Structure formats: C-alpha cells, structure tokens
Amino acid sequence: MSRGRLGLHAFLMTVSLAFLAPLLLAIYASLRPYEETAKYGYFSLPRHLSFDYYAQAFNDSGMGKYFINSLIIAVPGVLLTLFLASFVAFCVTRLRMRGGLVLLMVFTAGNLLPQQVIVTPLYVLFTKINLPYWMSDSMTMYDSYWAVLAVQVAFQVGFCVFVLANFMRTLPEEIVEAARVDGAGVWTQYWNITLPLCRPALAALATLQFTWMYNDFLWALVFISDGEKLPITSALNNLRGQFFTDYNLLAAGSVIVALPTVLVFLLLQRHFIAGLTLGASKG
C-alpha cells in the first residue's frame, strides 16, 4: 500500500471515529448506573454493566405509542415523497416537457427556503383548513398528522426531484425509446421501465428521507398540541425530570429511538451504497 493511500485510510478512520464517538459514549453511558458515572466520571472503567436502563427508558417514556406516531408520519411521507419526486423527475428528463429546466430549478430552490420563516403562516393556514372528523378529531389540519405529513413531503420533494432527475439522465434513452416503439404509454414507461432502473437511487433516498422525517421534532411540536399524537423524538423529553435528569437513562432512551433508523439502513444497505457510488466509475 502506498504512503498516500495509507494516509488516506488513516484520515478516513479518524473522521469515522470522530463521528461515532458520541454514539459510542451514549451506549457506554447507558450501560452504567448513574451513581457510578457521577462518582468516577463517564470516561472511567466500568464497575457494573447492565441493560436495566433500556427497559426503564422504554416503560417510563411510553415509547410504544410514540413509535407508532412516528411511523404514521414517516412511512407514508417517504412513499409519497418518492412517488411524487420520481414522477416529476421522469417528466422533466424523459418527456422533454417545455419549461422542464425551470421547473427543476424551482424545486431545487425550494430547499433554500429556511423552514422557520413559514412556521407562522403555515400555523394560521392549517387552523383554517377544515377536515372531516374521520381524518382529524380537531376538524382542522392543525393538531393532526396530516399537517406534519404535508410539510414533510413539501420540503423533501425538491431534494428528491433534483437527485432523481440527475440519475435518470444517466439512464440509456434507447430503453424508453424502444418502449415507445412497442406502444408503451407514459405510465408504463415510468412504472415498469424507469422506476426499476432507479432502485439504487430510490433506496438511498428512502434511507435519508426516513431518517430526516423520523428524527424531526420542529414540525410536530408546532402543528400538534395533543401529547398523544407526538412522535418518538418527544418521548425523550418524558425522561427528563423537573429537578433532576438521569443522563444515563436519557442515553438509553436515545439509543432506543435511533434503532429504527439503523434497521432501515441495514435493510437497504446494499442499495444505499450502490446509490451513493453511482457515477463513481465509467465503462
């Protein structure tokens, strides 16, 4: 191995450990009693290790219902975002629609808008949009999953359109042209031909989108007032005491909350890595 490649590997390992250090410290702290870390410090050798904090964190915070709330928002949000973004990207790149480049620029520019700027207008808007009782017990979009879902999809579609449009441009146009000659309609070209070829990019985006929507706390805090509807990120706040906070217990809760995102990455790991390395080599 050359000296330059050895230095590159050493640099990458250092950066990786720097990113993993907070997670490893949280896992280490979650396995130790608070009294031990308070007496000897978080970087001391352990005297006693156990998983007691994990059971306590799950039961004390009521994480079960909050997990379901997060999945109600994240899973439909990811599917709807990828469907809308892939269809827009297909229209821009494959149908050669007039103004497609301008449309792509508009979707991309939407990502540059600070989310905090439109919190108040959206709050007022959602309180005025009426919904039937079977969709929202508040009879409006406010204090419902629909409000958080709509905002998540609206903000994430632009990024996904940008990524998928650039990926679809790398696909051979002869495949779609051959389908047109055989009489395939637009939906067939999109659903049966283009989407299967975009599987690596879709898997990479699905992993990122699920992580972002699952970990979001701002929009749920603004648009949901009923504590029973809040997502999993709010469950950690239930582990904080009024006068005292056991940070080892909080660390155990944080590890539990992070498990679904790790599971999604492991399930889509092969496609995720393939999506990130697309275009790294040619030939």
Side-chain angles (χ1 to χ4, degrees), residues 58 63-72 214 232 256-257 260:
F58 189 87
M63 284 188 180
K65 61 182 178 183
Y66 294 111
F67 268 123
I68 296 176
N69 294 342
S70 291
L71 293 179
I72 290 175
Y214 176 84
I232 187 64
I256 295 175
V257 170

Side-chain angles (χ1 to χ4, degrees), residues 29-272:
S30 67
L31 299 174
R32 304 177 63 188
Y34 178 81
E35 294 76 11
E36 181 179 305
T37 54
K39 182 177 181 179
Y40 301 105
Y42 283 95
F43 295 97
S44 60
L45 293 177
R47 273 73 174 176
H48 177 70
L49 297 175
S50 70
F51 291 95
D52 295 342
Y53 270 139
Y54 287 91
Q56 182 180 348
F58 189 87
N59 294 326
D60 290 358
S61 64
M63 284 188 180
K65 61 182 178 183
Y66 294 111
F67 268 123
I68 296 176
N69 294 342
S70 291
L71 293 179
I72 290 175
I73 297 172
V75 174
V78 171
L79 295 177
L80 188 58
T81 299
L82 293 182
F83 172 73
L84 295 176
S86 61
F87 204 79
V88 172
F90 174 80
C91 294
V92 170
T93 59
R94 292 304 181 188
L95 300 184
R96 296 187 179 89
M97 58 180 296
R98 182 174 299 178
L101 180 59
V102 176
L103 181 63
L104 181 60
M105 293 175 61
V106 170
F107 272 99
T108 306
N111 293 321
L112 304 178
L113 180 67
Q115 299 180 359
Q116 294 80 0
V117 173
I118 61 173
V119 166
T120 301
L122 284 178
Y123 176 86
V124 175
L125 176 65
F126 289 158
T127 57
K128 297 181 180 300
I129 297 179
N130 296 321
L131 293 177
Y133 182 78
W134 59 271
M135 292 183 65
S136 171
D137 52 12
S138 66
M139 304 294 287
T140 63
M141 281 196 68
Y142 177 73
D143 196 24
S144 71
Y145 299 121
W146 299 102
V148 181
L149 181 61
V151 173
Q152 293 286 6
V153 172
F155 269 101
Q156 301 303 332
V157 162
F159 172 75
C160 293
V161 168
F162 176 77
V163 173
L164 289 173
N166 284 284
F167 175 74
M168 289 182 184
R169 286 195 178 96
T170 66
L171 300 178
E173 293 188 9
E174 292 79 5
I175 298 177
V176 177
E177 291 176 357
R180 291 197 191 102
V181 172
D182 292 337
V186 173
W187 179 258
T188 302
Q189 298 172 34
Y190 162 73
W191 188 260
N192 295 331
I193 298 175
T194 304
L195 273 192
L197 297 176
C198 296
R199 185 178 301 173
L202 291 172
L205 287 174
T207 306
L208 294 175
Q209 293 300 316
F210 180 83
T211 302
W212 292 338
M213 294 184 186
Y214 176 84
N215 289 330
D216 176 71
F217 181 67
L218 171 65
W219 295 120
L221 189 65
V222 172
F223 298 133
I224 295 180
S225 60
D226 187 353
E228 298 297 317
K229 299 178 183 177
L230 290 173
I232 187 64
T233 47
S234 64
L236 295 177
N237 200 45
N238 296 338
L239 298 177
R240 301 175 65 91
Q242 183 177 2
F243 303 105
F244 167 76
T245 299
D246 188 338
Y247 289 101
N248 295 32
L249 177 63
L250 193 61
S254 301
V255 174
I256 295 175
V257 170
L259 287 179
T261 56
V262 175
L263 179 61
V264 169
F265 173 77
L266 293 177
L267 293 175
L268 300 177
Q269 180 180 12
R270 181 169 61 89
H271 297 297
F272 178 74

